[in-house]
Amino acid sequence: MKILSDNIKISRKLENYTLKELSSAVSVHVLVSLISAFTCRGVVLGRFMPFGIAFLGGCNSCFLPASMVGAFISYFIPASDVSGFRYIAALFAVLSIKLLLSGYKRIANNSLFCALISFLACSLTGFTSLGTGQADVLGFLTEGLLCGMAAFFISKTFKAFERELLGFSSEELASLLLTLSIVIMGLYSFEVFGVSLGRILGVLIILIASKYGGIIAGSISGITIGFSLLLSGSGGTLGLTFALSGLMCGVFANLGKYAQIMILVSLSLIGSVISGEAAQVAYIMSESVIGSILFVATPKNIGI
């Protein structure tokens, strides 16, 4: 499982690597850059976009350039009406600190340190760039806390992939699923005829996690994705529906894929009706069905 290992690092001794290894390295760096860009698209309370800073703060030194490029481009074309330039300033602050302390790996790779610099960079750039009213101060403080907490778990996720042992501990699994929920949060706004790509991926992640990890993984995935929906402004009812779906899919995982799908689709219908928004029922049901079809279509040879 040592995906983020030395064989995918770009070094000066390129002659030591085969073409396949170099292609793998480029692919992984491009993937990290895309993920970093997607995290920047996650909008909280309609005006805050802290998760690109968190991703840069949490990533390891190997992927700093790729993460920085993806976040810079994404913030340069922000997902909301708020200017992304203060976030770009925060990115450079985080990058500078991580590069200056790169020789002190015990400090630079500490998850709490990653959380601290992300929190400070995000909060301070907010305090110095916009208004000073009480609502602004509390908003920037909340944004900074979200940024710091996200950076902590993203750092844990990178460390989990650096280990050679197979499987994840409970802490690593929670960090991975929370990181995934942050990434797909940036995809909630990508809609086709009202159907959200992010919510489709959320359904797929819940089904896969509960199939692999039972109640624990299902509950964690449901809670994290539900919370990300709440932060994005999709409504508390939908967030609670996803959280309960994760738990129930984990409970019924032993009965097979189709039992999980029936539970999730049923709960999606109940949640969408309870929300009182008739127009959303068709969209939510479509997302649940599409996510379920992708789950069934997943190749068996990867263990799902």
Side-chain angles (χ1 to χ4, degrees), residues 233-255:
S234 297
T237 302
L238 185 58
L240 289 173
T241 300
F242 270 74
L244 182 59
S245 297
L247 171 63
M248 297 307 293
C249 285
V251 171
F252 288 93
N254 292 332
L255 298 180

Side-chain angles (χ1 to χ4, degrees), residues 30-273:
V30 169
L31 177 62
V32 171
S33 186
L34 288 174
I35 291 173
S36 178
F38 287 141
T39 59
C40 300
R41 315 306 290 179
V43 181
V44 179
L45 300 177
R47 61 193 182 109
F48 297 126
M49 302 176 290
F51 298 117
I53 301 169
F55 191 84
L56 181 68
C59 81
N60 58 24
S61 58
C62 175
F63 294 104
L64 272 179
S67 177
M68 181 64 186
V69 169
F72 179 86
I73 294 174
S74 190
Y75 276 138
F76 193 77
I77 311 172
S80 71
D81 296 333
V82 179
S83 172
F85 288 107
R86 81 171 180 91
Y87 294 103
I88 292 175
L91 287 176
F92 279 106
V94 172
L95 179 65
S96 300
I97 295 172
K98 290 181 75 75
L99 290 177
L100 284 172
L101 296 177
S102 59
Y104 302 92
K105 295 190 179 297
R106 177 173 290 185
I107 298 175
N109 295 333
N110 186 284
S111 297
L112 288 174
F113 176 76
C114 294
L116 177 62
I117 61 174
S118 300
F119 164 74
L120 291 176
C122 187
S123 298
L124 292 178
T125 53
F127 291 147
T128 57
S129 64
L130 297 177
T132 57
Q134 183 179 9
D136 288 326
V137 172
L138 292 177
F140 295 139
L141 181 60
T142 300
E143 181 188 34
L145 289 171
L146 285 172
C147 184
M149 289 187 287
F152 177 85
F153 289 107
I154 290 169
S155 174
K156 291 287 186 182
T157 300
F158 274 96
K159 290 179 180 179
F161 281 104
E162 290 175 348
R163 295 191 305 109
E164 294 183 352
L165 299 176
L166 293 175
F168 296 109
S169 66
S170 297
E171 180 184 4
E172 291 167 344
L173 180 62
S175 299
L176 172 61
L177 291 172
L178 196 146
T179 300
L180 286 174
S181 70
I182 291 172
V183 175
I184 68 170
M185 186 177 174
L187 298 173
Y188 289 150
S189 59
F190 288 85
E191 296 183 348
V192 179
F193 301 112
V195 176
S196 169
L197 174 60
R199 290 197 291 268
I200 291 173
L201 292 177
V203 169
L204 181 61
I205 289 173
I206 287 174
L207 290 170
I208 292 176
S210 57
K211 181 66 177 178
Y212 259 128
I215 296 176
I216 294 177
S219 299
I220 294 172
S221 62
I223 291 169
T224 54
I225 292 172
F227 185 63
S228 70
L229 283 166
L230 184 63
L231 288 177
S232 67
S234 297
T237 302
L238 185 58
L240 289 173
T241 300
F242 270 74
L244 182 59
S245 297
L247 171 63
M248 297 307 293
C249 285
V251 171
F252 288 93
N254 292 332
L255 298 180
K257 289 184 175 181
Y258 296 103
Q260 291 178 274
I261 290 172
M262 289 179 60
I263 290 295
L264 187 139
V265 172
S266 299
L267 289 174
S268 296
L269 175 61
I270 294 170
S272 60
V273 172

